[in-house]
C-alpha cells in the first residue's frame, strides 16, 4: 500500500492542518509537555510547534517529525476528500 503523503512529495495543500493541530495539542497536553519540550523531543524549532498548534503548516520536515512525536501516520491528516476507504 502506498501513502498519499511521502516525504519527497509533501503537498501541504493535501493536509488538514486543523485536524493535525487538534492531535498535536491533545497529545502535548495529555503528556504534560510544554511547546519547548515538544520541540526538543521532536527535534524542531518551538516556532514550528506553535505554527502547527495554530493549524498552520509547520514545514515539511517539521510536519513529519511532529507526526512521529504524536505517534500517527502522516496520512491520518489528509483532507477528508483525499482519504481512501
Amino acid at each position: 500500500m502506498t501513502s498519499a503523503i511521502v516525504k519527497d512529495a509533501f503537498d501541504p495543500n493535501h493536509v488538514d492542518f486543523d485536524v493535525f493541530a487538534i492531535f498535536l495539542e491533545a497529545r502535548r497536553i495529555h503528556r504534560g509537555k510544554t511547546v519547548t519540550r515538544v520541540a526538543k523531543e521532536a527535534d524542531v524549532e518551538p516556532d514550528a510547534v506553535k505554527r502547527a498548534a495554530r493549524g498552520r503548516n509547520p514545514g515539511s520536515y517539521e510536519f513529519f517529525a511532529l507526526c512521529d512525536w504524536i505517534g500517527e501516520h502522516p496520512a491520518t491528516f489528509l483532507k477528508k476528500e483525499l482519504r481512501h476507504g
Side-chain angles (χ1 to χ4, degrees):
M1 180 171 129
T2 58
S3 171
I5 294 184
V6 291
K7 291 182 184 181
D8 293 336
F10 174 70
D11 185 345
N13 294 316
H14 293 169
V15 177
D16 189 332
F17 287 109
D18 291 328
V19 172
F20 183 62
I22 291 166
F23 271 74
L24 176 61
E25 282 298 278
R27 290 297 190 329
R28 182 184 70 76
I29 291 165
H30 177 76
R31 295 174 183 170
K33 306 286 183 173
T34 64
V35 166
T36 303
R37 188 68 195 164
V38 171
K40 184 172 183 167
E41 290 178 6
D43 193 29
V44 299
E45 293 295 320
D47 283 346
V49 178
K50 290 175 188 174
R51 279 193 306 278
R54 289 192 307 264
R56 297 183 59 218
N57 180 1
S60 61
Y61 169 82
E62 293 82 356
F63 172 71
F64 289 103
L66 290 168
C67 283
D68 286 343
W69 186 87
I70 291 169
E72 294 288 340
H73 191 278
T76 302
F77 307 107
L78 284 176
K79 290 181 178 176
K80 187 175 181 179
E81 62 271 15
L82 298 172
R83 284 189 229 141
H84 301 282

